[in-house]
Amino acid sequence: MTTARIDARFASLKAEGRAGFVAYVMAGDPTRDQALEILRGLPAAGADIIELGFPFSDPMAEGPPIQRAALRGLKAGLTLKGTLDLARAFRDGDADTPLILMGYLNPIESYGHEAFARDAAAAGVDGVIVVDCPPEEADPLTDALDAAEVSLIRLATPTSDDARLELIARRTSGFVYYVSVAGVTGVKEAQSASVAPAVERVRKASGLPVAVGFGVKTPERAAEIARVADAVVAGSVLVDEVAAALEAGTSPVTAVLARVQALGDAVRGARVTETV
Amino acid sequence: MNAIIPNQYAMPDVEGRFGPYGGRFVAETLMPLVLELNQAYEACKADPTFQAELDDYLTHYVGRPSPLYLAQRLTDHYEAANIWFKRDELNHTGAHKINNCMGQILLAMRMGKKRIIAETGAGQHGVATATVCARFGLQCVVYMGAADVQRQSPNVFRMKLLGAEVIPVTSGRGTLKDAMNEAMRDWVTNVEDTYYLIGTAAGPHPYPAMVRDFQSVIGRETRVQMLARREKLPDACVAAIGGGSNAIGLFHPFIEDAGVRLIGIEAAGRGLDGPDHAASLQGGRPGVLHGNRTYLLQDDDGQILEGHSISAGLDYPGIGPEHAWLKDLGRAEYRAATDAEALEAFQLCSKLEGIIPALEPSHALARIGEIAHEVGKGGDVVLNMCGRGDKDIFAVAQHLGVEL
């Protein structure tokens, strides 16, 4: 069962007594081949889990960095099918790192729920995050993913009250993604003090590990979150490395992996200094 | 409640679905807001003081009811059914948009919201939103595609005069869909104090139902006026369709009257056989965008395509979910008119009736002759004149090769 990969990874993180680092990159950014090279380099650079964005023309919950990354991906010709091919190419060389697809519903609708679930499972995808598919609308997709044994990973937010958390936790598996700010990706930074109790609430409601994302840009910030969450997600800051490298005429692969290394190291070291 | 929905056609269902269409496809952060909005709207519908207050403003501020006018020379021109204009272009701000804005602003105030955001294409909805915000002293931010800022500069100036901040949107191709994306990004960022005043009968539930209800004043008045003038219902109701709010406002009170044909006219741009049009119902297929499932212009991968129309108010790649449902049911018919046909109709109406129509209803005007012939002499066809053309004269002059 493919969801086993996520569970195994969180179990080993727990055994190590540390939080995991989740790296988000965009399929096809800046080209298919370079994106594959980045994907293949991520585990060694320090990514415990990979989120692979599939481009959508209208990413309504993204800030400018991921909007631009999606445009680069689309320009490189990456369709959802192309993203699945990329996932499979990654999986051929890595049997253990959980791989989560993240994006918007319409490309999946267009592909067909069942066909998508089947092909995602076959490509070695462990979970899917669909930004614009709240629990109220998720049953058809969840049915298809369940049948293919792929997790639908849900989002919890600062606006989720207890009743909503209960709804969010239904029919989810793997982990819950806590969006730490009300806003788009890559813009605002959450108040640190508010993250710990929120993570606790989500953990309690779901019984699942909680990954925290949105607004994680620096190693210091990543370490802060790593002290209270089960995993830390960074995305905008990574895709911005691609943009900066393209601008400077340097290697996007090297730039992204170096940034992953710095953030991953911070996450790994975060709890060492902890005395409790 | 009967004051808002005068008949028994009970769509959408409690989940906001019109058959397979509609729904609430928004980011989790927005779900509590969308649910809260639905509760607040249901409470207003059930509150007679809300409707009384709205009616008062519609009468004394907006200028309703709008006349139902027999367009005699156009009727003579086609030598077929009587052509009537529902004169919503005579509303304050010059279009039907203010019907919805007045309803939603009263709702926003009841919800205690202080900051209003809106998207706009042609600028009519932006102007109407800025107008009600000025009237009630609320902060107003309007997102408008950068391309539309260029082609609709008079409306940009109007909004600024009314105290609104107009933010040009450069993502995508800089048109209505991109403005809507940006407004949703603002909303998800400012969840505490901000009310998103959507201008068309689309978006997550309850917007499609709510905007329809506020626009249904058009059809309710038409019904009463036609009965008074002709002692019968119209044989056909015709309206232009972008997102579809003026059309659903005209159609909705007639949905249960099987004898009344409901005909929506989409923008065929440079032709339905190419990519440059905005006819989602005739040239698209179902998908999910901007909070609802509906017909969309999209490629094989589910990427949304940019619509094209001479009219900035029609070039949206989606359509309100109720139109998607009415199309599948066969209760409404959908046709299209090209840029060139709309331009021709724009000029014909100006010359024959002394009414300069907006480019949006010019699309409906482009099909009105053939519809009048189908209905035949002695019949009655109502066209929703949903906006006046003052805002379009520069664009039209340019298309006609006239330098102003």
Side-chain angles (χ1 to χ4, degrees):
Chain A
M1 172 168 162
T2 44
T3 49
R5 227 166 351 227
I6 301 174
D7 298 341
R9 182 53 47 105
F10 276 104
S12 72
L13 289 168
K14 196 170 184 184
E16 287 178 52
R18 68 173 180 92
F21 179 57
V22 183
Y24 172 102
V25 293
M26 179 65 77
D29 181 23
T31 64
R32 187 206 179 263
D33 289 349
Q34 285 173 301
L36 181 58
E37 215 180 314
I38 290 171
L39 279 177
R40 285 180 169 155
L42 285 175
D48 299 298
I49 296 173
I50 296 171
E51 281 180 14
L52 179 60
F54 53 97
F56 181 49
S57 52
D58 294 79
M60 282 156 284
E62 313 298 345
I66 294 182
Q67 288 176 39
R68 288 191 290 258
L71 284 179
R72 290 193 297 270
L74 287 172
K75 211 173 211 175
L78 255 282
T79 58
L80 182 52
K81 184 173 180 308
T83 302
L84 291 172
D85 291 344
L86 199 60
R88 183 195 302 268
F90 166 78
R91 183 55 77 212
D92 283 346
D94 183 317
D96 304 318
T97 307
L99 181 63
I100 317 294
L101 295 190
M102 184 164 180
Y104 291 78
L105 186 56
N106 201 51
I108 297 177
E109 291 256 322
S110 186
Y111 201 103
H113 292 167
E114 279 75 26
F116 168 72
R118 187 190 61 227
D119 292 355
V125 168
D126 303 287
V128 181
I129 302 174
V130 186
V131 177
D132 56 349
C133 189
E136 282 84 347
E137 305 290 354
D139 279 344
L141 178 61
T142 316
D143 290 345
L145 290 173
D146 279 356
E149 298 186 325
V150 175
S151 291
L152 180 68
I153 289 158
R154 291 272 167 78
L155 302 158
T157 78
T159 60
S160 311
D161 61 14
D162 288 346
R164 256 212 89 77
L165 282 181
E166 206 171 289
L167 186 64
I168 290 164
R170 262 187 45 224
R171 303 199 72 182
T172 192
S173 56
F175 64 93
V176 177
Y177 187 140
Y178 180 66
V179 172
S180 60
V181 292
V184 294
T185 47
V187 180
K188 282 200 284 190
E189 213 172 68
Q191 301 288 324
S192 298
S194 70
V195 174
V199 166
E200 207 39 59
R201 276 195 331 132
V202 177
R203 237 186 234 142
K204 196 180 268 179
S206 64
L208 291 171
V210 178
V212 174
F214 279 46
V216 178
K217 291 180 193 163
T218 62
E220 294 72 29
R221 182 72 188 160
E224 259 175 54
I225 305 269
R227 286 185 197 108
V228 298
D230 300 301
V232 181
V233 189
S236 295
V237 72
L238 300 182
V239 302
D240 262 353
E241 289 291 345
V242 175
L246 290 174
E247 187 111 331
T250 55
S251 160
V253 180
T254 311
V256 171
L257 295 180
R259 182 58 68 116
V260 168
Q261 187 85 52
L263 293 164
D265 286 351
V267 169
R268 277 182 176 70
R271 292 202 199 155
V272 175
T273 53
E274 210 169 356
T275 50
V276 227
Chain B
M1 207 148 139
N2 281 344
I4 290 185
I5 304 174
N7 60 38
Q8 300 302 307
Y9 166 85
M11 290 300 236
D13 68 13
V14 288
E15 301 294 335
R17 301 209 179 96
F18 300 86
Y21 305 109
R24 292 183 268 238
F25 296 88
V26 294
E28 183 55 39
T29 309
L30 289 178
M31 273 308 295
L33 282 76
V34 164
L35 294 169
E36 182 201 357
L37 175 63
N38 190 48
Q39 273 188 350
Y41 176 55
E42 289 299 324
C44 284
K45 271 205 297 192
D47 178 357
T49 64
F50 178 84
Q51 190 61 43
E53 191 183 2
L54 175 56
D55 286 346
D56 191 70
Y57 282 113
L58 289 178
T59 304
H60 300 293
Y61 189 73
V62 175
R64 301 210 71 93
S66 68
L68 183 68
Y69 161 75
L70 177 61
Q72 189 62 58
R73 291 195 69 212
L74 202 62
T75 300
D76 294 345
H77 175 79
Y78 289 116
E79 298 182 5
N82 298 317
I83 296 168
W84 302 77
F85 291 166
K86 179 59 176 163
R87 305 278 314 266
D88 256 56
E89 98 281 11
L90 293 178
N91 292 338
H92 180 39
T93 73
H96 71 290
K97 292 290 184 187
I98 195 144
N99 304 328
N100 166 50
C101 288
M102 190 53 84
Q104 285 201 54
I105 204 80
L106 296 179
L107 174 62
M109 287 190 292
R110 288 197 173 201
M111 293 176 74
K113 303 291 184 183
K114 305 273 184 248
R115 178 175 178 270
I116 307 296
I117 58 171
E119 83 293 338
T120 197
Q124 293 304 96
H125 174 58
V127 167
T129 304
T131 297
V132 294
C133 286
R135 170 61 186 76
F136 295 105
L138 298 172
Q139 187 191 348
C140 181
V141 176
V142 179
Y143 290 93
M144 186 169 187
D148 291 337
V149 168
Q150 289 297 319
R151 53 180 176 171
Q152 300 289 340
S153 54
N155 272 343
V156 175
F157 185 58
R158 279 188 191 103
M159 287 184 266
K160 289 181 178 166
L161 282 175
L162 292 161
E165 181 187 358
V166 180
I167 301 183
V169 177
T170 51
S171 62
R173 200 186 279 177
T175 59
L176 181 53
K177 121 183 138 67
D178 309 299
M180 200 148 174
N181 288 336
E182 215 53 40
M184 293 191 92
R185 290 181 186 122
D186 180 311
W187 198 24
V188 82
T189 306
N190 300 290
V191 293
E192 296 300 329
D193 64 341
T194 296
Y195 182 95
Y196 182 14
L197 207 164
I198 294 183
T200 193
H205 180 65
Y207 286 102
M210 176 168 70
V211 174
R212 170 200 72 195
D213 292 345
F214 289 137
Q215 291 294 359
S216 289
V217 67
I218 300 170
R220 289 200 306 272
E221 287 175 5
T222 300
R223 191 181 182 92
V224 171
Q225 290 165 325
M226 185 56 80
L227 285 170
R229 301 280 290 277
R230 299 277 291 155
E231 296 179 340
K232 66 184 265 288
L233 293 179
D235 299 287
C237 290
V238 184
I241 303 234
S245 74
N246 93 81
I248 204 71
L250 176 63
F251 293 176
H252 188 252
F254 295 104
I255 283 178
E256 293 191 322
D257 301 299
V260 181
R261 288 172 63 190
L262 307 175
I263 306 168
I265 312 297
E266 296 193 290
R270 299 186 184 99
L272 287 184
D273 42 357
D276 296 330
H277 62 78
S280 355
L281 286 171
Q282 292 161 92
R285 60 190 172 89
V288 171
L289 179 71
H290 292 153
N292 55 183
R293 181 178 285 119
T294 187
Y295 280 78
L296 300 172
L297 299 178
Q298 55 181 317
D299 69 12
D300 292 342
D301 185 39
Q303 307 297 337
I304 308 304
L305 302 172
E306 303 276 350
H308 161 82
S309 168
I310 188 174
S311 152
L314 299 182
D315 71 350
Y316 178 66
I319 173 82
E322 193 162 13
H323 285 294
W325 176 233
L326 293 175
K327 173 192 160 72
D328 284 9
L329 280 181
R331 176 61 191 97
E333 308 159 47
Y334 295 92
R335 304 182 185 185
T338 63
D339 289 350
E341 290 171 323
L343 265 177
E344 203 174 303
F346 177 98
Q347 297 170 80
L348 184 71
C349 179
S350 301
K351 282 181 183 144
L352 289 185
E353 292 295 343
I355 295 171
I356 299 177
L359 281 170
E360 291 79 18
S362 295
H363 286 72
L365 283 162
R367 294 273 82 81
I368 202 69
E370 71 187 38
I371 293 166
H373 279 289
E374 287 165 20
V375 168
K377 263 200 169 142
D380 295 283
V381 178
V382 176
L383 178 145
N384 195 18
M385 186 59 74
C386 61
R388 57 177 171 244
D390 309 37
K391 70 180 172 64
D392 292 316
I393 55 169
F394 300 101
V396 169
Q398 200 185 343
H399 282 284
L400 298 178
V402 177
E403 270 193 45
L404 295 185

